[in-house]
Amino acid sequence: AVTRPGTAITVSVVRASGKLITRMHPGPKNTVDDLISAILQTAQIDGDAKMVLYFQGRVLDGQETIEDAGLTDGAVLTAVRYPDLHVAAGYEDGVVRVWSTEAGTCSREYSIGGGAVLSVCFGPDGQFMVTGSADGAARLVSVAKGTLQQTFRGHTRPVTSVAWAPHGMLLATGSSDSTVLIWDMLAGESVLRLEGRWGGVTAVAFSPHGKLLSTGGADGVARLWRVDRRGPTPLRSTVLQGHGAAVQSVAFSPDGDLLATGASDCSAIVWVVEDGSCLLVMDPWTPTPGSREHLQGHRLGVRSVAFSPDGAVVVTGGEDAMVKLWSAEDGQCLETFVGHSLATKVRAVSCSPEGTLVASGSEDGCVKIWSTTSFACEATLRLETADGVGP
Protein backbone atom coordinates (compact mmCIF):
# COMPACT_ATOMS: atom_id res chain seq x y z
CA ALA A 1 0.00 0.00 0.00
CA VAL A 2 1.05 3.58 -0.58
CA THR A 3 1.85 5.50 2.59
CA ARG A 4 -0.73 8.08 3.61
CA PRO A 5 -0.14 11.80 4.33
CA GLY A 6 1.91 12.73 7.33
CA THR A 7 4.95 10.68 6.34
CA ALA A 8 4.65 11.24 2.62
CA ILE A 9 4.80 13.64 -0.27
CA THR A 10 2.02 14.61 -2.65
CA VAL A 11 2.41 13.88 -6.37
CA SER A 12 -0.04 14.61 -9.17
CA VAL A 13 -0.61 12.01 -11.90
CA VAL A 14 -1.83 13.31 -15.26
CA ARG A 15 -2.60 11.91 -18.69
CA ALA A 16 -0.54 12.96 -21.71
CA SER A 17 -3.30 15.49 -22.42
CA GLY A 18 -2.59 17.13 -19.06
CA LYS A 19 -5.88 16.02 -17.51
CA LEU A 20 -5.50 15.11 -13.84
CA ILE A 21 -6.02 11.41 -13.05
CA THR A 22 -5.41 11.50 -9.30
CA ARG A 23 -3.17 12.77 -6.53
CA MET A 24 -1.22 10.23 -4.53
CA HIS A 25 0.75 10.37 -1.27
CA PRO A 26 3.70 7.95 -1.49
CA GLY A 27 6.35 7.60 1.17
CA PRO A 28 10.08 7.72 0.31
CA LYS A 29 10.47 3.93 0.49
CA ASN A 30 7.44 3.07 -1.63
CA THR A 31 8.40 1.86 -5.09
CA VAL A 32 7.22 3.16 -8.45
CA ASP A 33 5.37 -0.16 -8.91
CA ASP A 34 3.54 0.52 -5.62
CA LEU A 35 2.49 3.87 -7.00
CA ILE A 36 1.32 2.39 -10.32
CA SER A 37 -0.76 -0.27 -8.54
CA ALA A 38 -2.41 2.41 -6.41
CA ILE A 39 -3.14 4.55 -9.46
CA LEU A 40 -4.75 1.66 -11.33
CA GLN A 41 -6.91 0.86 -8.29
CA THR A 42 -7.87 4.46 -7.54
CA ALA A 43 -8.71 5.25 -11.16
CA GLN A 44 -10.57 1.92 -11.49
CA ILE A 45 -8.50 0.89 -14.48
CA ASP A 46 -8.50 -2.74 -15.61
CA GLY A 47 -6.10 -4.64 -13.40
CA ASP A 48 -4.55 -6.38 -16.43
CA ALA A 49 -3.55 -3.02 -17.91
CA LYS A 50 0.09 -2.00 -17.96
CA MET A 51 1.23 1.50 -17.08
CA VAL A 52 4.47 3.45 -17.03
CA LEU A 53 5.17 6.79 -15.40
CA TYR A 54 7.20 9.59 -16.99
CA PHE A 55 9.06 12.14 -14.89
CA GLN A 56 11.34 14.81 -16.34
CA GLY A 57 11.60 13.08 -19.68
CA ARG A 58 12.37 9.53 -18.53
CA VAL A 59 10.40 6.40 -17.79
CA LEU A 60 10.65 5.53 -14.10
CA ASP A 61 11.93 2.07 -13.24
CA GLY A 62 9.24 0.13 -11.37
CA GLN A 63 11.75 -1.10 -8.78
CA GLU A 64 12.99 2.38 -7.89
CA THR A 65 11.91 3.86 -4.61
CA ILE A 66 10.18 7.23 -4.64
CA GLU A 67 13.30 8.68 -3.05
CA ASP A 68 15.69 7.16 -5.61
CA ALA A 69 13.46 8.30 -8.48
CA GLY A 70 13.99 11.90 -7.38
CA LEU A 71 10.34 12.63 -6.69
CA THR A 72 9.67 15.52 -4.34
CA ASP A 73 6.53 17.10 -2.94
CA GLY A 74 4.45 18.58 -5.76
CA ALA A 75 5.99 16.45 -8.53
CA VAL A 76 3.84 15.91 -11.63
CA LEU A 77 3.97 12.48 -13.30
CA THR A 78 2.60 11.57 -16.70
CA ALA A 79 0.94 8.15 -16.90
CA VAL A 80 0.86 6.15 -20.14
CA ARG A 81 -1.25 3.00 -20.19
CA TYR A 82 -0.64 -0.01 -22.43
CA PRO A 83 -1.77 -0.94 -24.95
CA ASP A 84 -3.17 2.56 -25.25
CA LEU A 85 0.00 3.87 -26.93
CA HIS A 86 0.10 6.72 -29.39
CA VAL A 87 2.67 7.81 -31.93
CA ALA A 88 3.00 11.26 -33.50
CA ALA A 89 4.10 11.66 -37.10
CA GLY A 90 4.78 14.75 -39.21
CA TYR A 91 3.72 14.77 -42.86
CA GLU A 92 4.66 16.64 -45.99
CA ASP A 93 1.16 18.11 -46.16
CA GLY A 94 1.99 20.19 -43.06
CA VAL A 95 -0.10 18.10 -40.65
CA VAL A 96 0.95 16.25 -37.50
CA ARG A 97 -1.14 13.15 -36.93
CA VAL A 98 -1.36 11.22 -33.67
CA TRP A 99 -2.15 7.53 -34.11
CA SER A 100 -3.45 4.94 -31.69
CA THR A 101 -1.26 1.87 -32.04
CA GLU A 102 -4.00 -0.31 -30.54
CA ALA A 103 -6.89 0.80 -32.73
CA GLY A 104 -4.76 1.58 -35.77
CA THR A 105 -6.64 4.84 -36.29
CA CYS A 106 -5.71 8.49 -36.43
CA SER A 107 -6.96 9.97 -33.16
CA ARG A 108 -5.96 13.61 -33.70
CA GLU A 109 -4.75 15.93 -36.45
CA TYR A 110 -2.88 19.21 -35.99
CA SER A 111 -2.72 21.59 -38.96
CA ILE A 112 -0.27 24.22 -37.81
CA GLY A 113 1.03 25.78 -41.02
CA GLY A 114 4.59 26.25 -42.17
CA GLY A 115 4.69 23.67 -44.94
CA ALA A 116 6.08 20.15 -44.63
CA VAL A 117 6.69 18.99 -41.04
CA LEU A 118 10.28 17.74 -41.00
CA SER A 119 10.57 16.91 -37.30
CA VAL A 120 8.34 16.54 -34.25
CA CYS A 121 8.94 15.75 -30.58
CA PHE A 122 6.87 15.64 -27.40
CA GLY A 123 7.79 17.64 -24.33
CA PRO A 124 8.94 15.85 -21.17
CA ASP A 125 5.43 15.72 -19.70
CA GLY A 126 3.66 14.89 -22.97
CA GLN A 127 1.37 17.91 -22.75
CA PHE A 128 3.02 19.83 -25.57
CA MET A 129 4.88 19.01 -28.75
CA VAL A 130 7.27 20.96 -30.95
CA THR A 131 7.49 20.74 -34.72
CA GLY A 132 10.16 21.81 -37.19
CA SER A 133 8.91 22.93 -40.58
CA ALA A 134 10.05 23.74 -44.09
CA ASP A 135 9.39 27.47 -43.58
CA GLY A 136 12.30 27.71 -41.11
CA ALA A 137 10.18 27.94 -37.95
CA ALA A 138 9.55 25.67 -34.97
CA ARG A 139 6.13 25.64 -33.33
CA LEU A 140 4.91 24.77 -29.85
CA VAL A 141 1.50 23.06 -29.87
CA SER A 142 -0.83 22.04 -27.03
CA VAL A 143 -1.57 18.33 -27.36
CA ALA A 144 -4.90 18.57 -25.55
CA LYS A 145 -6.23 21.72 -27.18
CA GLY A 146 -4.53 21.45 -30.56
CA THR A 147 -3.70 25.15 -30.42
CA LEU A 148 -0.51 26.92 -31.45
CA GLN A 149 1.16 28.29 -28.31
CA GLN A 150 4.40 29.75 -29.65
CA THR A 151 6.30 30.17 -32.90
CA PHE A 152 10.10 30.14 -32.78
CA ARG A 153 11.67 32.06 -35.66
CA GLY A 154 15.39 32.54 -36.16
CA HIS A 155 16.48 30.18 -38.92
CA THR A 156 16.72 31.19 -42.56
CA ARG A 157 16.15 27.71 -44.00
CA PRO A 158 14.06 24.64 -43.06
CA VAL A 159 14.19 23.32 -39.49
CA THR A 160 15.35 19.75 -39.99
CA SER A 161 15.44 18.57 -36.37
CA VAL A 162 14.05 19.54 -32.96
CA ALA A 163 14.89 18.26 -29.47
CA TRP A 164 13.43 19.18 -26.08
CA ALA A 165 15.71 18.88 -23.05
CA PRO A 166 14.44 16.38 -20.42
CA HIS A 167 14.25 19.10 -17.77
CA GLY A 168 11.91 21.03 -20.07
CA MET A 169 13.77 24.33 -19.89
CA LEU A 170 15.60 24.28 -23.23
CA LEU A 171 14.71 23.48 -26.85
CA ALA A 172 17.23 22.85 -29.62
CA THR A 173 16.46 23.40 -33.30
CA GLY A 174 18.77 22.43 -36.15
CA SER A 175 18.49 23.81 -39.66
CA SER A 176 19.88 23.41 -43.14
CA ASP A 177 21.16 27.00 -42.69
CA SER A 178 24.08 25.41 -40.74
CA THR A 179 22.97 26.70 -37.34
CA VAL A 180 21.61 25.27 -34.11
CA LEU A 181 19.53 27.55 -31.92
CA ILE A 182 18.93 26.90 -28.22
CA TRP A 183 15.68 28.36 -26.90
CA ASP A 184 14.62 29.27 -23.38
CA MET A 185 11.16 27.72 -23.15
CA LEU A 186 9.98 30.07 -20.42
CA ALA A 187 11.02 33.24 -22.20
CA GLY A 188 10.35 31.91 -25.69
CA GLU A 189 13.64 33.41 -26.85
CA SER A 190 16.81 32.12 -28.47
CA VAL A 191 19.61 32.21 -25.90
CA LEU A 192 22.42 30.32 -27.66
CA ARG A 193 23.58 29.96 -31.24
CA LEU A 194 25.89 27.27 -32.60
CA GLU A 195 27.13 27.65 -36.13
CA GLY A 196 29.91 26.50 -38.41
CA ARG A 197 30.80 25.28 -41.85
CA TRP A 198 28.84 22.09 -41.44
CA GLY A 199 26.97 22.15 -44.73
CA GLY A 200 23.68 22.08 -42.85
CA VAL A 201 22.56 20.61 -39.51
CA THR A 202 20.71 17.35 -39.99
CA ALA A 203 20.12 16.18 -36.40
CA VAL A 204 20.05 17.36 -32.77
CA ALA A 205 19.55 15.42 -29.53
CA PHE A 206 19.86 16.13 -25.81
CA SER A 207 21.41 13.65 -23.41
CA PRO A 208 19.09 12.11 -20.78
CA HIS A 209 20.36 14.50 -18.10
CA GLY A 210 19.97 17.49 -20.42
CA LYS A 211 23.50 18.82 -19.99
CA LEU A 212 24.88 17.66 -23.32
CA LEU A 213 23.73 18.29 -26.87
CA SER A 214 24.77 16.29 -29.90
CA THR A 215 24.52 17.60 -33.45
CA GLY A 216 24.90 15.88 -36.80
CA GLY A 217 26.07 17.70 -39.90
CA ALA A 218 26.07 17.31 -43.65
CA ASP A 219 29.88 17.37 -43.39
CA GLY A 220 29.79 13.81 -41.99
CA VAL A 221 30.72 14.88 -38.46
CA ALA A 222 28.84 14.55 -35.17
CA ARG A 223 29.62 17.01 -32.39
CA LEU A 224 29.12 17.13 -28.63
CA TRP A 225 28.41 20.33 -26.71
CA ARG A 226 27.95 21.12 -23.04
CA VAL A 227 24.91 23.39 -22.95
CA ASP A 228 23.62 25.79 -20.31
CA ARG A 229 22.37 29.36 -20.16
CA ARG A 230 25.92 30.74 -19.97
CA GLY A 231 26.83 29.40 -23.37
CA PRO A 232 27.84 26.25 -25.26
CA THR A 233 31.14 24.68 -24.26
CA PRO A 234 32.69 22.11 -26.60
CA LEU A 235 33.86 18.96 -24.83
CA ARG A 236 37.46 17.87 -25.18
CA SER A 237 36.32 15.30 -27.74
CA THR A 238 33.89 17.58 -29.53
CA VAL A 239 34.30 16.22 -33.04
CA LEU A 240 33.28 12.63 -33.74
CA GLN A 241 34.71 11.70 -37.11
CA GLY A 242 34.20 8.31 -38.69
CA HIS A 243 31.45 8.61 -41.27
CA GLY A 244 32.12 9.19 -44.94
CA ALA A 245 28.94 11.15 -45.65
CA ALA A 246 26.28 13.28 -43.97
CA VAL A 247 25.29 12.30 -40.41
CA GLN A 248 21.52 12.00 -40.66
CA SER A 249 20.61 11.10 -37.07
CA VAL A 250 22.02 11.10 -33.53
CA ALA A 251 20.67 9.45 -30.36
CA PHE A 252 21.97 9.05 -26.80
CA SER A 253 21.69 5.79 -24.89
CA PRO A 254 19.31 5.85 -21.91
CA ASP A 255 22.19 6.25 -19.44
CA GLY A 256 23.83 8.96 -21.56
CA ASP A 257 27.14 7.09 -21.81
CA LEU A 258 26.87 6.25 -25.52
CA LEU A 259 25.87 8.09 -28.68
CA ALA A 260 24.62 6.42 -31.86
CA THR A 261 24.95 8.10 -35.24
CA GLY A 262 23.52 7.10 -38.62
CA ALA A 263 24.84 8.42 -41.90
CA SER A 264 24.39 8.51 -45.64
CA ASP A 265 27.41 6.19 -46.00
CA CYS A 266 25.04 3.31 -45.06
CA SER A 267 26.62 2.80 -41.63
CA ALA A 268 25.79 3.49 -37.99
CA ILE A 269 28.40 4.07 -35.28
CA VAL A 270 28.19 3.88 -31.50
CA TRP A 271 30.52 6.30 -29.69
CA VAL A 272 31.68 6.55 -26.07
CA VAL A 273 30.57 10.00 -24.91
CA GLU A 274 33.22 10.40 -22.23
CA ASP A 275 36.23 10.23 -24.54
CA GLY A 276 34.72 10.35 -28.03
CA SER A 277 36.07 6.94 -29.01
CA CYS A 278 34.37 4.66 -31.51
CA LEU A 279 32.89 1.62 -29.76
CA LEU A 280 30.99 -0.15 -32.54
CA VAL A 281 30.42 0.16 -36.28
CA MET A 282 27.29 -1.26 -37.92
CA ASP A 283 28.75 -1.82 -41.36
CA PRO A 284 26.86 -1.42 -44.66
CA TRP A 285 25.63 -4.41 -46.61
CA THR A 286 28.32 -6.32 -48.49
CA PRO A 287 27.82 -9.41 -50.67
CA THR A 288 29.16 -12.24 -48.50
CA PRO A 289 28.80 -15.82 -49.76
CA GLY A 290 26.89 -18.04 -47.36
CA SER A 291 25.75 -15.18 -45.11
CA ARG A 292 22.17 -14.52 -44.06
CA GLU A 293 21.39 -11.49 -46.17
CA HIS A 294 18.68 -10.09 -43.87
CA LEU A 295 21.17 -9.98 -40.98
CA GLN A 296 23.56 -7.68 -42.78
CA GLY A 297 23.71 -3.90 -42.92
CA HIS A 298 21.80 -1.30 -44.93
CA ARG A 299 22.22 -1.04 -48.68
CA LEU A 300 21.53 2.70 -48.67
CA GLY A 301 21.96 5.53 -46.17
CA VAL A 302 20.93 5.24 -42.51
CA ARG A 303 18.31 7.93 -41.97
CA SER A 304 17.38 7.41 -38.30
CA VAL A 305 18.78 5.78 -35.16
CA ALA A 306 17.36 5.06 -31.69
CA PHE A 307 18.30 3.07 -28.59
CA SER A 308 15.96 0.62 -26.90
CA PRO A 309 14.91 1.70 -23.37
CA ASP A 310 17.37 -0.75 -21.78
CA GLY A 311 20.20 0.39 -24.06
CA ALA A 312 20.84 -3.15 -25.32
CA VAL A 313 19.64 -2.61 -28.90
CA VAL A 314 20.22 0.06 -31.53
CA VAL A 315 17.41 0.53 -34.06
CA THR A 316 18.15 1.95 -37.50
CA GLY A 317 15.91 3.08 -40.34
CA GLY A 318 17.35 3.21 -43.82
CA GLU A 319 16.87 4.74 -47.23
CA ASP A 320 16.58 1.12 -48.43
CA ALA A 321 13.09 0.96 -46.81
CA MET A 322 14.37 -1.37 -44.07
CA VAL A 323 14.38 -1.20 -40.28
CA LYS A 324 17.12 -3.10 -38.46
CA LEU A 325 17.85 -4.13 -34.87
CA TRP A 326 21.50 -4.28 -33.78
CA SER A 327 23.22 -5.52 -30.63
CA ALA A 328 24.71 -2.57 -28.73
CA GLU A 329 27.20 -5.02 -27.25
CA ASP A 330 28.89 -6.44 -30.34
CA GLY A 331 27.32 -4.56 -33.30
CA GLN A 332 25.74 -7.66 -34.84
CA CYS A 333 22.50 -7.32 -36.81
CA LEU A 334 19.77 -9.13 -34.88
CA GLU A 335 16.74 -8.70 -37.16
CA THR A 336 15.49 -6.83 -40.21
CA PHE A 337 11.94 -5.55 -40.63
CA VAL A 338 10.77 -5.39 -44.24
CA GLY A 339 7.37 -3.96 -45.13
CA HIS A 340 7.65 -0.36 -46.24
CA SER A 341 7.33 0.25 -49.97
CA LEU A 342 10.52 -0.32 -51.88
CA ALA A 343 12.36 2.77 -53.13
CA THR A 344 11.05 4.81 -50.18
CA LYS A 345 13.15 6.04 -47.25
CA VAL A 346 12.44 5.19 -43.63
CA ARG A 347 12.78 8.66 -42.16
CA ALA A 348 12.24 7.94 -38.47
CA VAL A 349 12.35 5.14 -35.91
CA SER A 350 11.50 5.10 -32.21
CA CYS A 351 10.92 2.57 -29.40
CA SER A 352 7.98 2.24 -27.04
CA PRO A 353 8.73 2.93 -23.35
CA GLU A 354 8.87 -0.78 -22.51
CA GLY A 355 10.89 -1.62 -25.62
CA THR A 356 8.42 -4.18 -26.94
CA LEU A 357 7.45 -2.12 -30.00
CA VAL A 358 9.30 -0.14 -32.66
CA ALA A 359 7.62 2.52 -34.78
CA SER A 360 8.94 3.45 -38.22
CA GLY A 361 7.80 6.27 -40.48
CA SER A 362 8.46 6.25 -44.21
CA GLU A 363 8.08 8.27 -47.39
CA ASP A 364 5.41 5.77 -48.42
CA GLY A 365 3.07 7.60 -46.02
CA CYS A 366 2.93 4.71 -43.54
CA VAL A 367 3.80 4.38 -39.89
CA LYS A 368 4.45 0.73 -39.09
CA ILE A 369 4.48 -0.79 -35.61
CA TRP A 370 6.83 -3.76 -35.18
CA SER A 371 7.07 -6.26 -32.33
CA THR A 372 10.57 -6.79 -30.90
CA THR A 373 9.53 -10.19 -29.56
CA SER A 374 7.68 -11.82 -32.46
CA PHE A 375 9.38 -9.58 -35.08
CA ALA A 376 6.01 -9.21 -36.80
CA CYS A 377 4.35 -6.04 -38.06
CA GLU A 378 1.63 -5.36 -35.48
CA ALA A 379 -0.04 -2.45 -37.29
CA THR A 380 0.17 -0.25 -40.37
CA LEU A 381 -1.05 3.30 -39.81
CA ARG A 382 -1.91 5.07 -43.02
CA LEU A 383 -4.23 7.64 -44.55
CA GLU A 384 -5.05 7.04 -48.17
CA THR A 385 -4.02 10.58 -49.04
CA ALA A 386 -0.97 10.80 -46.74
CA ASP A 387 2.35 12.02 -48.05
CA GLY A 388 5.70 11.00 -46.62
CA VAL A 389 6.17 10.67 -42.89
CA GLY A 390 8.87 12.61 -41.06
CA PRO A 391 10.43 12.12 -37.62
Side-chain angles (χ1 to χ4, degrees), residues 4 9 41 106 117 152 165-166 175 192 356:
R4 300 308 302 168
I9 63 173
Q41 182 177 2
C106 179
V117 178
F152 303 96
S175 169
L192 304 175
T356 56

Side-chain angles (χ1 to χ4, degrees), residues 4-19:
R4 300 308 302 168
T7 61
I9 63 173
T10 299
V11 297
S12 299
V13 183
V14 301
R15 301 183 189 277
S17 65
K19 183 179 179 180

Side-chain angles (χ1 to χ4, degrees), residues 3-186:
T3 308
R4 300 308 302 168
T7 61
I9 63 173
T10 299
V11 297
S12 299
V13 183
V14 301
R15 301 183 189 277
S17 65
K19 183 179 179 180
L20 180 69
I21 298 174
T22 186
R23 288 188 175 89
M24 306 299 296
H25 307 282
K29 299 307 180 183
N30 283 127
T31 67
V32 172
D33 278 342
D34 290 338
L35 188 56
I36 290 174
S37 295
I39 293 168
L40 292 173
Q41 182 177 2
T42 301
Q44 297 182 331
I45 297 174
D46 181 359
D48 293 331
K50 297 180 181 180
M51 177 179 286
V52 292
L53 297 177
Y54 280 88
F55 180 62
Q56 295 185 343
R58 72 182 183 94
V59 177
L60 299 182
D61 186 328
Q63 300 304 309
E64 284 185 299
T65 64
I66 298 304
E67 186 176 44
D68 292 341
L71 302 185
T72 56
D73 195 53
V76 178
L77 309 177
T78 302
V80 177
R81 183 172 63 89
Y82 292 90
D84 188 21
L85 285 174
H86 290 78
V87 59
Y91 291 78
E92 291 181 352
D93 61 2
V95 176
V96 176
R97 295 179 173 91
V98 177
W99 296 86
S100 166
T101 60
E102 180 184 12
T105 57
C106 179
S107 58
R108 195 75 184 267
E109 291 190 354
Y110 303 86
S111 297
I112 55 176
V117 178
L118 305 180
S119 185
V120 58
C121 71
F122 282 108
D125 61 6
Q127 297 183 43
F128 296 92
M129 63 181 172
V130 170
T131 64
S133 297
D135 68 347
R139 292 171 173 84
L140 177 68
V141 180
S142 168
V143 173
K145 299 178 181 178
T147 54
L148 178 64
Q149 304 293 302
Q150 177 83 34
T151 300
F152 303 96
R153 298 190 184 276
H155 292 290
T156 59
R157 299 193 67 185
V159 175
T160 54
S161 185
V162 294
W164 203 326
H167 50 64
M169 303 302 292
L170 297 175
L171 174 74
T173 58
S175 169
S176 53
D177 65 5
S178 296
T179 68
V180 176
L181 296 179
I182 310 296
W183 305 83
D184 183 318
M185 294 302 287
L186 293 178

Side-chain angles (χ1 to χ4, degrees), residues 19-391:
K19 183 179 179 180
L20 180 69
I21 298 174
T22 186
R23 288 188 175 89
M24 306 299 296
H25 307 282
K29 299 307 180 183
N30 283 127
T31 67
V32 172
D33 278 342
D34 290 338
L35 188 56
I36 290 174
S37 295
I39 293 168
L40 292 173
Q41 182 177 2
T42 301
Q44 297 182 331
I45 297 174
D46 181 359
D48 293 331
K50 297 180 181 180
M51 177 179 286
V52 292
L53 297 177
Y54 280 88
F55 180 62
Q56 295 185 343
R58 72 182 183 94
V59 177
L60 299 182
D61 186 328
Q63 300 304 309
E64 284 185 299
T65 64
I66 298 304
E67 186 176 44
D68 292 341
L71 302 185
T72 56
D73 195 53
V76 178
L77 309 177
T78 302
V80 177
R81 183 172 63 89
Y82 292 90
D84 188 21
L85 285 174
H86 290 78
V87 59
Y91 291 78
E92 291 181 352
D93 61 2
V95 176
V96 176
R97 295 179 173 91
V98 177
W99 296 86
S100 166
T101 60
E102 180 184 12
T105 57
C106 179
S107 58
R108 195 75 184 267
E109 291 190 354
Y110 303 86
S111 297
I112 55 176
V117 178
L118 305 180
S119 185
V120 58
C121 71
F122 282 108
D125 61 6
Q127 297 183 43
F128 296 92
M129 63 181 172
V130 170
T131 64
S133 297
D135 68 347
R139 292 171 173 84
L140 177 68
V141 180
S142 168
V143 173
K145 299 178 181 178
T147 54
L148 178 64
Q149 304 293 302
Q150 177 83 34
T151 300
F152 303 96
R153 298 190 184 276
H155 292 290
T156 59
R157 299 193 67 185
V159 175
T160 54
S161 185
V162 294
W164 203 326
H167 50 64
M169 303 302 292
L170 297 175
L171 174 74
T173 58
S175 169
S176 53
D177 65 5
S178 296
T179 68
V180 176
L181 296 179
I182 310 296
W183 305 83
D184 183 318
M185 294 302 287
L186 293 178
E189 299 176 348
S190 172
V191 292
L192 304 175
R193 182 183 182 91
L194 311 177
E195 58 184 326
R197 297 179 179 178
W198 305 334
V201 177
T202 51
V204 293
F206 279 102
S207 63
H209 49 60
K211 296 180 180 179
L212 300 179
L213 178 74
S214 177
T215 60
D219 60 353
V221 175
R223 293 170 172 83
L224 289 169
W225 310 83
R226 192 175 301 280
V227 178
D228 59 34
R229 289 293 303 274
R230 295 186 298 274
T233 304
L235 299 178
R236 180 171 56 185
S237 301
T238 298
V239 178
L240 306 179
Q241 292 181 302
H243 288 293
V247 175
Q248 300 276 16
S249 182
V250 295
F252 283 94
S253 61
D255 59 11
D257 292 341
L258 303 176
L259 179 79
T261 57
S264 296
D265 63 2
C266 311
S267 73
I269 297 177
V270 175
W271 310 83
V272 178
V273 170
E274 184 177 9
D275 60 13
S277 61
C278 174
L279 179 66
L280 296 171
V281 178
M282 288 75 164
D283 290 316
W285 176 84
T286 54
T288 305
S291 67
R292 300 176 65 184
E293 185 170 331
H294 77 288
L295 295 184
Q296 293 196 48
H298 288 282
R299 294 171 177 263
L300 297 173
V302 176
R303 191 64 178 262
S304 185
V305 294
F307 276 95
S308 62
D310 62 3
V313 174
V314 177
V315 184
T316 60
E319 296 178 356
D320 55 4
M322 296 182 184
V323 177
K324 292 179 179 287
L325 306 183
W326 306 80
S327 167
E329 181 178 355
D330 59 17
Q332 295 299 305
C333 183
L334 304 174
E335 188 58 58
T336 297
F337 298 139
V338 179
H340 286 292
S341 299
L342 297 178
T344 62
K345 302 173 183 178
V346 175
R347 293 186 181 180
V349 293
S350 64
C351 293
S352 66
E354 284 192 339
T356 56
L357 299 174
V358 169
S360 60
S362 168
E363 289 182 351
D364 62 6
C366 291
V367 176
K368 286 186 175 289
I369 308 298
W370 310 90
S371 169
T372 59
T373 53
S374 69
F375 303 128
C377 179
E378 298 289 329
T380 297
L381 314 176
R382 178 184 176 87
L383 292 176
E384 292 302 322
T385 57
D387 296 315
V389 180

